Amino acid sequence: MAEGPKQQMPARRKARKRALDVLYEADMRARPPVEVLAGYLQRLEQPRPEHLGYAIGLIEGVAANQARIDELIDSYAEGWTLDRMPAVDRNLARIAIYELLYVDEIDDAVAISEAVELARQMSTDDSPRFLNGILGRIAEYATR
């Protein structure tokens, strides 16, 4: 029984990474995320990974709530505009904020630490601290 959560975390991290790939591509190409997702799914080999459903849920959820999510980023990113943020950070923040606000089964601390860990692997040296700060402030706001 103790193995369950350990097995879930890597799958969810992979799902977040896939969601990041699609959202990043959509951002860079100025295309709707759901349109980029459709192309991404066509290119995926069978059998599709088990975590794909969660990744699709993240992408569709971010796309459906992007105006609200971006508004929160603008409000809480002290000294940064959405356009000035590295694209990886911007999209990691979008995924984490979607999880904070709309995915009840994910603890806030998990959503934040996953975004910070992916930033550590994929973005600038300053990104983990930046994301931890903004996401912590948004999590505080969301629990009020």
Side-chain angles (χ1 to χ4, degrees), residues 125-143:
D125 289 345
D126 295 330
S127 295
R129 191 169 44 85
F130 169 75
L131 282 171
N132 192 51
I134 186 175
L135 295 173
R137 289 190 295 278
I138 291 170
E140 217 173 90
Y141 152 81
T143 56

Side-chain angles (χ1 to χ4, degrees), residues 3-143:
E3 290 182 49
K6 284 184 183 175
Q7 289 173 341
Q8 274 186 336
M9 290 311 294
R12 287 231 167 111
R13 184 169 294 164
K14 287 177 189 173
R16 289 179 186 96
K17 169 70 174 74
R18 281 186 191 270
L20 175 62
D21 291 346
V22 171
L23 292 170
Y24 179 86
E25 181 181 340
D27 202 358
M28 293 292 88
R29 295 175 58 209
R31 309 290 313 155
V34 178
E35 181 183 299
V36 174
L37 173 61
Y40 183 83
L41 291 174
Q42 287 177 342
R43 295 187 305 265
L44 261 187
E45 292 181 22
Q46 300 290 345
R48 291 183 170 174
E50 281 183 35
H51 63 266
L52 188 61
Y54 190 71
I56 292 169
L58 290 174
I59 295 159
E60 291 174 343
V62 168
N65 297 285
Q66 190 165 335
R68 176 73 180 125
I69 290 169
D70 286 356
E71 182 183 301
L72 285 169
I73 294 171
D74 272 338
S75 297
Y76 286 87
E78 296 166 358
W80 285 90
T81 61
L82 211 53
D83 294 340
R84 282 190 54 224
M85 271 178 223
V88 170
D89 296 0
R90 180 170 54 237
N91 287 291
L92 282 172
R94 286 173 174 154
I95 292 166
I97 293 166
Y98 174 74
E99 287 184 313
L100 288 171
L101 299 181
Y102 303 103
V103 184
D104 292 337
E105 74 260 18
I106 302 292
D107 290 336
D108 289 359
V110 171
I112 293 169
S113 67
E114 286 291 312
V116 168
E117 183 55 36
L118 283 169
R120 190 170 283 123
Q121 294 170 18
M122 305 181 70
S123 198
T124 70
D125 289 345
D126 295 330
S127 295
R129 191 169 44 85
F130 169 75
L131 282 171
N132 192 51
I134 186 175
L135 295 173
R137 289 190 295 278
I138 291 170
E140 217 173 90
Y141 152 81
T143 56

